[in-house]
Each structure stands twice: as structure tokens, then as C-alpha cells.
Amino acid sequence: MIRVSVVGAKGRMGSHVVDAVNGAEDMELALALDAGDDLKNIAPANTDVVVEFTVPSVSLGNVLTLIAQGVDVVVGTTGWTDEKLAQVREAIANSPRPDSQKVFIAPNFAISAVLADYFATKAAKYFESAEVIELHHPNKVDAPSGTAIHTAHGIAEARKAAGLGDVPDNTETDGGSRGQVVDGIHVHAVRLRGLNAHEEVLFGNAGEQLTIRADSFDRGSFMPGVLLAVRKLASDAPTGLTIGLDNFLDL
Amino acid sequence: MIRVSVVGAKGRMGSHVVDAVNGAEDMELALALDAGDDLKNIAPANTDVVVEFTVPSVSLGNVLTLIAQGVDVVVGTTGWTDEKLAQVREAIANSPRPDSQKVFIAPNFAISAVLADYFATKAAKYFESAEVIELHHPNKVDAPSGTAIHTAHGIAEARKAAGLGDVPDNTETDGGSRGQVVDGIHVHAVRLRGLNAHEEVLFGNAGEQLTIRADSFDRGSFMPGVLLAVRKLASDAPTGLTIGLDNFLDL
Amino acid sequence: MIRVSVVGAKGRMGSHVVDAVNGAEDMELALALDAGDDLKNIAPANTDVVVEFTVPSVSLGNVLTLIAQGVDVVVGTTGWTDEKLAQVREAIANSPRPDSQKVFIAPNFAISAVLADYFATKAAKYFESAEVIELHHPNKVDAPSGTAIHTAHGIAEARKAAGLGDVPDNTETDGGSRGQVVDGIHVHAVRLRGLNAHEEVLFGNAGEQLTIRADSFDRGSFMPGVLLAVRKLASDAPTGLTIGLDNFLDL
Amino acid sequence: MIRVSVVGAKGRMGSHVVDAVNGAEDMELALALDAGDDLKNIAPANTDVVVEFTVPSVSLGNVLTLIAQGVDVVVGTTGWTDEKLAQVREAIANSPRPDSQKVFIAPNFAISAVLADYFATKAAKYFESAEVIELHHPNKVDAPSGTAIHTAHGIAEARKAAGLGDVPDNTETDGGSRGQVVDGIHVHAVRLRGLNAHEEVLFGNAGEQLTIRADSFDRGSFMPGVLLAVRKLASDAPTGLTIGLDNFLDL
């Protein structure tokens, strides 16, 4: 049994993690802490892996403390800069167990989204045309989504590496309907009440189309990815800092 | 049996019409004419309904001649202005059979597209959010398509009539991915090799989505609509000029 | 302001209704009752419309009591037989206000699903082919869904009324993949973790396809339909018993 | 310039190949032969790669002749048995250039279909649920398609290799709507006028869905795959017999 502690256990994501750990047959919930609780209660004696889902302003401090406590950490909080990551790497080097300490940070724990992004990059060189449509709830303030920009970049890089030129497009008259061009790839953002976070990548050749779509219907969609990361840290993940769930997928 | 003549029989669309008429159990092909043939060979003695699919520069002349010949006409050629339509109406008034002469002109013979447009207008008032995505082959020069603009206008009018306000949209930062706003409705245009003409209308409320999609895979997609129009003219279509396939659908 | 009381207010659906009423600008929550509470507290002095979402075993009794109290009722509980409906009609006839008493019962409050079903029936006669795919969470015990069967029947009836024959299908060898044939229409049921309740209706002619899809992502999807019914009962709904949300949609 | 000859050049597929070769900037059409023509006109002096698209009854003979002529062959004809393949391998061993002779046979040249199948196999182990829907024109006699069966097998094998159990499914009452179970995976076959060949693979976890869809709209959809195979044979394909387009994709 993997003993899992949760930091931010009463938060929107953390409470889902508590439920997910309780529902996993190969895990048991160790400590569930939230604001005001002392992180130093978490130690190798009671915990194998900690899942940290808090807010950017406190996450770095939490992670540094947990490394000093000698426990492995899966971090779901966002807002990581190069500078912050450097501090994490330094803390790992100075940790009680530098040769086995593991920290994992991921911008997106939705397995479907990570796979869609990866498959899009692999498929890109085989198609004349490629476009990205992302669809989100209307409260999102930025458009297009960071994930869609990432996908468009990945497609563009794969096309360039394969020597493909521009996507075909004879549009002469347009009032903005063709979307935002990210690195040569057209990206469209839909905002619709009822949706959560969705991405569709369309590839086309003469006579054929390939469509890859990832739907994240709710926060529960991140839990399979979180549990996968916990299992990786408790088994064969590399020591040190790993960034991105694609590193833990067998692709 | 409805006796059908085709004008423009060797053209891209006309040749499909000839095949479709030959394949219809309740029709027989009368005359198949093309450039250089004398339209005056078409007369009530041999023809019930003529299907005219040529080019805008000759279509008006053809239609006026056919009206003078006393046969009913289904027109698939595009490019009709108010002035041209007025000439058609005048020719009908002065025709050999003003009380029974029928002429039908349609901008779009794809039944699926006409139905999608109609259903979108009916659904519009019941949803907080609505957006339109049209997808076409990359040789199309205008974006968005005229059909998508028509659909967006229909949705906008239905929303206003029902007292709905703006669609919810908290986007603060966008480099163009949110598409073109047509009468308050966001319209996106995708251009993809392999596609022909497609439209998807998305409606959203909290927790639910309605999607209506019309795909026209090739020119054959217009034939069911052409045959439907021919049957209507041969039976209970109103006399005079009718514009738009929705007039012949029982909705 | 429409004064709305909720019966079953602590239940899965009822708690959503309480939130939806509190969030509606034209409504105010009157009483929120649950098991053990006395329904006789609900009366015209404090309530215009009651929303009843409980369980089949108590719903009939609740509705009869509320009719006797002289308040209009929107019923979301399922399990209504012809016999139960007859009792409701009799109670209306003997109610304190037989000329204005209104009761509304609906098997499905998701507007998208009701519209999809209606549009499918209207479109059916214009297409050679039609199939239905319903998709639900894997805990659902019956397949296909009642909604899918209803849609298939509606399509089949519309085809027969229009004189259409069987859908084209040259399948000679099949081990069950062609699904269940409901009144001549093939119906497929998908069960997938992560889904809630979804239905897709596909229509096809040579060269064209029309797709109508309704997605219900969660229980919140019923609230727009519940609020619409409340507003109808508080305004121009007919007196007596009305069954089915399509009666309240302007189609 | 790759010099390409076509055998079966007047056939349904072969005529598309002639057009595709003529449209490719890096290829030139050498000989275009059909029934009655002498294959011995094809030789290294005029041809680098031959594309053979005929019928199963003559394809083996053609391929053996072409190998004896010393030219590389891309074979699109279907109907290859283990016995026939053994004859091809033997002919290669006895060919004029056994150390460089290349023959390529593929059951499916649609790149989108081959990629979808591959991606489905890679994704399978990360999802609780998986189902396959294939959609074809109604003249197809077998259901489900061979491609769908292949995909289902691939998913099932990947699940077993990862130690996953059965897909979740609490269906108790079903009249056939749940489709055909292929190696534990439910497969559904839709037959719809207007469609050609399409496959959709659905994966689900709590809160998330991944959808991979390949559309083959017409025979032209095979040409990018045919050209890719020609280029591979003219460059770095391995000598001997290669079966399956996935061997030529960089995945």
C-alpha cells in the first residue's frame, strides 16, 4: 500500500484527491492537511508520497519543506517559474536523501489532454492541413488556452522538422473568423456555457481527416493522472525533478 | 412520371442532375441540353420541369426563355440579385400560363444544411450560449461562409425576439482566436484539405449542450434537394417565384 | 417574482432546484421541504408554484396533497403510470380551483434532449438513412435508454407517414455490431466512464449527413427546463395536466 | 524524380494513383498498364517503383512477374493469404536483385486510419473504458469492419498487458444495443447513406474522455499513403517484404 498524504486537502482539487486516494485499492490516506496545519507532521514514518494542491503563493514553500522532510512530492499547483523550479532543484540536491528524492510537477493532469497533445505532434507531419479548436466555459479569461497554444507549437515544430510548408489556405476575405495564427497553425476558441475544458485537433489530407479530441468534464478528470503520478513516484520514477505527465506515460 | 429536362447537362452540377433524374423511379429524363443547344426544344409537350444549373452570366436569359416556353423551372445557378429576380417575376406575369407558372430558385440545395439552419433558429432562444463553426476545403476564398453568416443572423434574431441578452463571455485576453462576431454570435471558420462544406452549431446551458451539424461531402449532396424541388413543382408548389428550399420542407 | 417552494429539497435533484431558484432573478424561494415536513405549510398565501422531485413511492401522494392545497405543481419525479395519471386528473377536477389548477409532469427536463428528439422527428422524412447512438455512464442498467427508444419510434413514425421504406442496409454478416433494431431504426448504446447522458442522431443521404446531438453533462442540465416549466405555470400554461416539456417549447 | 509505373491504371483505385503520381512534384509517371498489357514492358530501365492495384485473382501473378523484372512494388490489392505471402517471399529470394528487392503490401493505405489504430493501442492502458464505433456506407456486406476488429484486438491486448480488467458495464437489460463484444471491447457498426469509411474510438475515465476519429471520405484518401509508400521504397525502406503502412510511419 502506498501511503499518501494530501496538502490542501480541503481545497477544490485537494478534496478530490482525498476521495481518489480513498478509492484506490493500492493506496491509503495518511495525513490530510490544510492551511494552518503543520507540514512537519508529514514524514517518511507515515508517508510515501505527498500530493500538494494549494495556491501559487504558498506552494513553493510547501514543496521545499516537504523535500526537507524527506518525502516525495506530486505537485498540482500551478504558477511555476524557472526561478522557482531552480529553488526546487537546489532543495533536492541539499535534501536528506538526494539520491532518491523525487518531485513531480505537472501543468495538466488530464491524461486525455496529455495524450491528445502527444498524438497531435506525432500525426502532424503526415497531413497537409492542421487546425486546433479549444472549447471552454465562458468564465475563462484568456483565449486561446495555454494547452491549445502548446499543441499548435508542437504541430508547427513537427511540420517544420519534416520539411512541410504552410498549411493550404486561399482565404482572401475574412473578418476574423479564421482565428488566431499560432506559429502558422490556426487556433479557434469557443466559449460555451455548460462546457469545462475541451480540445479538438483536426488534420486533413485529400479525402481523409484525422480528429483527436480530449474532453475534461470536471475536476475529477485530473484524478487518474494524479494517481498515476503517485504510483510512478512510489515505483520507478527517476529521482530528482520531473516536469510533465508525458514523462510518466509509456508512449 | 415527371418528365425532367436538364439545362447545363454537361456541367459539374448538371451531370449529377442527369444521373439523379435517371435514378429516380418517379422521373424520366426528357432533354439534356448544354451550351449551344436550343432551349426552345423544351416545351410542355415533352417536359414538366426543367432543372437549370449553368453559370450566373447566362442563367437569367435561360430562365426567361424557359418561362416563355411555358415550362416550370428549378434553378440551381447562383448570383441572383433583386433586379434579376424582378425580371423573373415580370416574365412570370407575362408568361403563356401566368396562373400556373412556377419557378424555384435556391441558394443551397443541401437538405441537411437547410434543416440545420432552421433548427438552429428554433433552438436559439432556449440556450445561454451559441456559436457557429463552419469548415470548408482550403480553396474557398471567403470566410466565414455565407451560410454561417445566415445562421448567425438567424440565431441573433431569435435571441433578440425572446429578450435574451449577450452570450456570456469573460474573455479578457485574445489574439483573434474567438473568431468573427456576427450580430453578437461568434463564428469560426476552419479550412482543411479533405473537407467539402460543413457547418456545426453549438448551443450551451449550464450542464447541457445541443449540437447540430450538417455535412456536405460532395456535389451529390445537392441532388436530394433538387429532386425534392422537382417533385414539389410537379405537385403542390405555389405558382409564381419561390426562393429557398425551406419553403418546400414541412417544418 | 414567482414564489417557488421545493418538495424534496435535500435530495439530489431537489437541492439543485433550490440553488437554481435562488439564482433566478424572477423567482424567490418560498419553502424548501423534505421528508418529515408537512406539505400543508405550502399554500397560495406563500407559494405560486411547487417543484416536486422525490421518489416514485411518495410522489403521487405529494402531488394529490399539493393540488388539494390549491398550488400549481411541476413534477420531476419519474414512475408515472396511466393509473397514477388518472388519479392526478381526478384530483384536479375536484380541486379548490378546478378552472385554474395546473400540474406539469415531464420524463426529461433537459431542453437539449427534448429539442434533439423533436428535431429528429422533423428531419426524419428527408433522409434515406437514420440511426441513433446513445452514450451513458457504465452504471446504467438498461440499454438502450428510454429516450433513444422514444427517438427511434418518432423517426420510424415520421418515415412511415412520409411513405419511406426501410433504411438501406446490405449487411450480410454481423455478430451483433449493428445494434438493436427499434421499429426499423438501428439503435446503439455506448457505456463509458466519464459520460453522463448523451444522444446522437445521424441522418444520411447521398453526399450529405445531418447530425443532432444532445449532451447532458450533469444534473444541473435539468434546471433550465425546470425553471422554464415554473415560468410557464406562472404565466400562460394551460390549466389541467400537461405531460412533456415539448408542450412548453415554441416549436 | 521517382519513376512510377501503375498496373491496373484504368481501375477505380489505379486511375486515382495515376492522377496522384502526376500531381506529385517528386514523381513522374512511367508506364500506365491495365488488363491485356504486357507487364514485361516494366523494367529498371524505365521504372523505379510499380504500384499494383488490381483484383485478388491476378495480383499474385502480377507481383511475381514484377519481382522477376527487378522492380520494386507497392501492392494495394487485397486478399493476401499466408500462402500467397510465402510465394512472394520466395520470389524475392530468387529475384535478379535479392539484396535490394523491395515489396510492400498494405491492407489499408489511409494514413488517418493507420494512425488512429496506432494511437488507440497506445492510449488503451490509460482508460477504464473503451469502445469502438465504425461507420460505413450501407452497401458494405460485413459488420463490423476488419479495421474495427483490428482496433478492438489492439486495445484488448494493450489492456491485458497492462493488467487492466474488464471494462465497467452494469447493463442488465439489453436487446442488442450494446453491440458486438470483440475480445472484451464493445464494437458498434453504423450504416448510413452518404458515408464512406469512418472509425471512432472512445476512451473514458472519471471526468474525462479521449476520442480518436479517422474519416475516409473517398478513394482519394488512400493516395497520400500510396505516395508515402512509393517514396519509402525509393529511399530507406528495408529490403524484402514489408506488410502494413505503420511500418513506414515514424511513430
Side-chain angles (χ1 to χ4, degrees), chain B residues 4-237:
Chain B
V4 182
S5 289
V6 179
V7 174
K10 294 180 181 166
R12 294 186 312 172
M13 293 299 305
S15 57
H16 274 85
V17 175
V18 168
D19 291 346
V21 168
N22 279 327
E25 294 186 357
D26 57 343
M27 300 184 194
E28 63 183 9
L29 185 66
L31 298 173
L33 306 187
D34 209 280
D37 295 326
D38 188 352
L39 292 197
K40 294 196 176 162
N41 289 325
I42 300 177
N46 54 37
T47 299
D48 297 309
V49 180
V50 183
V51 179
E52 205 268 3
F53 258 111
T54 59
V55 291
S57 58
V58 305
S59 185
L60 175 61
N62 287 348
V63 173
L64 298 183
T65 298
L66 292 165
I67 291 171
Q69 289 291 104
V71 289
D72 293 337
V73 194
V74 168
V75 185
T77 313
T78 57
W80 292 90
T81 60
D82 286 347
E83 191 181 291
K84 286 183 177 182
L85 294 173
Q87 287 186 261
V88 172
R89 286 195 183 90
E90 191 186 335
I92 293 172
N94 299 324
S95 81
R97 40 190 274 270
D99 295 337
S100 63
Q101 174 73 47
K102 301 171 183 179
V103 175
F104 176 69
I105 299 176
N108 194 336
F109 277 95
I111 292 176
S112 55
V114 175
L115 287 174
D117 188 75
Y118 174 79
F119 292 155
T121 305
K122 295 303 280 185
K125 64 195 263 192
Y126 297 108
F127 292 91
E128 268 191 74
S129 295
E131 301 211 0
V132 178
I133 303 173
E134 57 92 331
L135 312 93
H136 282 83
H137 56 84
N139 297 331
K140 186 172 175 62
V141 294
D142 56 313
S145 66
T147 304
I149 292 173
H150 188 263
T151 302
H153 278 308
I155 292 169
E157 278 174 29
R159 288 176 65 95
K160 279 171 201 156
L164 270 67
D166 292 343
V167 294
D169 184 4
N170 289 352
T171 309
E172 292 172 6
T173 309
D174 177 33
S177 65
R178 291 286 288 118
Q180 181 170 339
V181 184
V182 176
D183 217 356
I185 304 299
H186 290 255
V187 177
H188 311 270
V190 172
R191 296 292 171 264
L192 208 74
R193 182 74 74 211
L195 293 183
N196 183 35
H198 314 256
E199 180 172 302
E200 192 165 299
V201 187
L202 294 80
F203 293 105
N205 278 328
E208 69 170 341
Q209 184 178 353
L210 175 70
T211 307
I212 300 167
R213 179 173 173 126
D215 294 281
S216 166
F217 299 118
D218 58 44
R219 287 184 201 112
S221 63
F222 297 127
M223 292 310 114
V226 170
L227 298 188
L228 186 150
V230 167
R231 289 184 185 110
K232 279 298 225 181
L233 259 62
S235 58
D236 63 347

Side-chain angles (χ1 to χ4, degrees), chain A:
Chain A
M1 294 290 266
I2 310 172
R3 300 166 306 162
V4 182
S5 288
V6 180
V7 173
K10 293 179 181 168
R12 294 186 312 172
M13 293 299 304
S15 57
H16 274 85
V17 175
V18 168
D19 291 347
V21 169
N22 279 327
E25 293 186 359
D26 57 344
M27 299 184 194
E28 63 184 9
L29 185 66
L31 298 173
L33 306 187
D34 210 283
D37 294 327
D38 189 351
L39 292 197
K40 296 197 174 161
N41 291 325
I42 300 177
N46 54 38
T47 298
D48 298 308
V49 181
V50 182
V51 179
E52 204 268 3
F53 259 113
T54 60
V55 292
S57 58
V58 305
S59 184
L60 174 61
N62 288 347
V63 172
L64 298 184
T65 299
L66 292 164
I67 291 171
Q69 290 291 105
V71 290
D72 293 338
V73 193
V74 168
V75 185
T77 313
T78 57
W80 292 90
T81 60
D82 286 348
E83 189 180 293
K84 286 182 177 181
L85 293 172
Q87 287 187 261
V88 172
R89 286 194 183 90
E90 191 186 336
I92 293 171
N94 299 324
S95 80
R97 40 188 278 266
D99 295 338
S100 63
Q101 174 73 45
K102 301 171 183 178
V103 176
F104 176 70
I105 298 177
N108 194 337
F109 277 95
I111 291 176
S112 55
V114 175
L115 288 174
D117 189 74
Y118 174 79
F119 293 154
T121 304
K122 295 301 281 184
K125 67 195 258 190
Y126 298 108
F127 292 91
E128 270 191 72
S129 296
E131 303 211 2
V132 178
I133 303 173
E134 56 94 329
L135 312 93
H136 281 83
H137 57 82
N139 297 329
K140 186 172 176 62
V141 295
D142 56 313
S145 67
T147 303
I149 292 173
H150 187 264
T151 301
H153 278 308
I155 292 170
E157 279 175 29
R159 289 177 64 95
K160 279 170 202 158
L164 271 67
D166 293 342
V167 294
D169 184 6
N170 289 352
T171 308
E172 293 173 5
T173 308
D174 177 32
S177 66
R178 292 286 289 117
Q180 182 170 340
V181 184
V182 176
D183 218 355
I185 304 300
H186 291 255
V187 178
H188 311 269
V190 172
R191 295 293 172 263
L192 207 74
R193 181 74 74 211
L195 292 182
N196 183 37
H198 315 256
E199 181 173 301
E200 192 164 298
V201 187
L202 293 80
F203 293 105
N205 277 330
E208 70 171 339
Q209 184 179 355
L210 176 70
T211 306
I212 301 168
R213 180 175 172 125
D215 293 283
S216 167
F217 299 119
D218 57 47
R219 289 184 200 111
S221 64
F222 296 127
M223 294 309 114
V226 169
L227 298 187
L228 185 150
V230 167
R231 288 184 184 111
K232 279 299 222 180
L233 259 63
S235 58
D236 63 348
T239 56
L241 175 62
T242 303
I243 299 173
L245 195 62
D246 51 321
N247 291 290
F248 285 170
L249 300 179
D250 174 29
L251 297 172

Side-chain angles (χ1 to χ4, degrees), chain D residues 154-232:
Chain D
I155 293 170
E157 279 174 30
R159 290 176 64 95
K160 279 170 201 154
L164 270 66
D166 293 342
V167 293
D169 183 4
N170 289 352
T171 308
E172 294 174 4
T173 309
D174 178 30
S177 65
R178 290 286 289 118
Q180 182 170 341
V181 184
V182 176
D183 217 356
I185 303 299
H186 290 256
V187 177
H188 311 269
V190 172
R191 294 295 172 262
L192 207 74
R193 183 74 74 212
L195 292 182
N196 183 36
H198 314 257
E199 180 173 301
E200 191 165 300
V201 187
L202 292 80
F203 293 106
N205 278 327
E208 70 169 342
Q209 183 178 354
L210 176 70
T211 307
I212 300 168
R213 178 174 176 127
D215 294 281
S216 167
F217 299 118
D218 56 46
R219 287 181 202 115
S221 64
F222 297 126
M223 293 310 115
V226 169
L227 298 188
L228 186 149
V230 168
R231 290 187 183 108
K232 279 299 222 179

Side-chain angles (χ1 to χ4, degrees), chain D residues 36 39 41 53 59 68 84 91 138 196-197 199 230 241:
Chain D
L39 292 198
N41 290 325
F53 258 112
S59 185
K84 287 183 178 182
N196 183 36
E199 180 173 301
V230 168
L241 175 60

Side-chain angles (χ1 to χ4, degrees), chain C residues 10-175:
Chain C
K10 293 181 181 168
R12 295 186 313 172
M13 292 300 303
S15 58
H16 273 84
V17 175
V18 167
D19 290 347
V21 168
N22 279 327
E25 293 186 358
D26 57 342
M27 300 184 193
E28 63 184 11
L29 185 66
L31 299 172
L33 306 187
D34 211 282
D37 294 324
D38 188 351
L39 292 198
K40 295 198 175 162
N41 290 325
I42 298 176
N46 55 38
T47 298
D48 297 308
V49 180
V50 182
V51 179
E52 204 267 3
F53 259 113
T54 60
V55 292
S57 59
V58 305
S59 184
L60 174 62
N62 288 348
V63 172
L64 298 183
T65 300
L66 292 164
I67 291 170
Q69 289 292 104
V71 290
D72 293 339
V73 194
V74 168
V75 185
T77 312
T78 56
W80 292 90
T81 60
D82 286 348
E83 190 181 292
K84 285 183 177 182
L85 293 172
Q87 288 186 262
V88 171
R89 285 195 183 89
E90 190 185 338
I92 292 171
N94 299 325
S95 80
R97 41 189 275 269
D99 295 338
S100 63
Q101 174 73 45
K102 301 171 183 180
V103 175
F104 176 70
I105 298 176
N108 194 338
F109 276 96
I111 291 176
S112 55
V114 175
L115 288 174
D117 188 76
Y118 174 79
F119 292 154
T121 305
K122 296 300 282 185
K125 65 195 260 191
Y126 296 109
F127 292 91
E128 268 192 72
S129 296
E131 302 211 1
V132 179
I133 304 172
E134 56 94 330
L135 313 92
H136 282 83
H137 56 84
N139 297 329
K140 185 172 177 63
V141 294
D142 56 315
S145 67
T147 304
I149 292 173
H150 188 264
T151 302
H153 278 307
I155 292 170
E157 279 175 29
R159 289 177 65 95
K160 280 171 202 156
L164 269 67
D166 292 343
V167 293
D169 184 4
N170 289 353
T171 309
E172 293 172 6
T173 309
D174 177 32

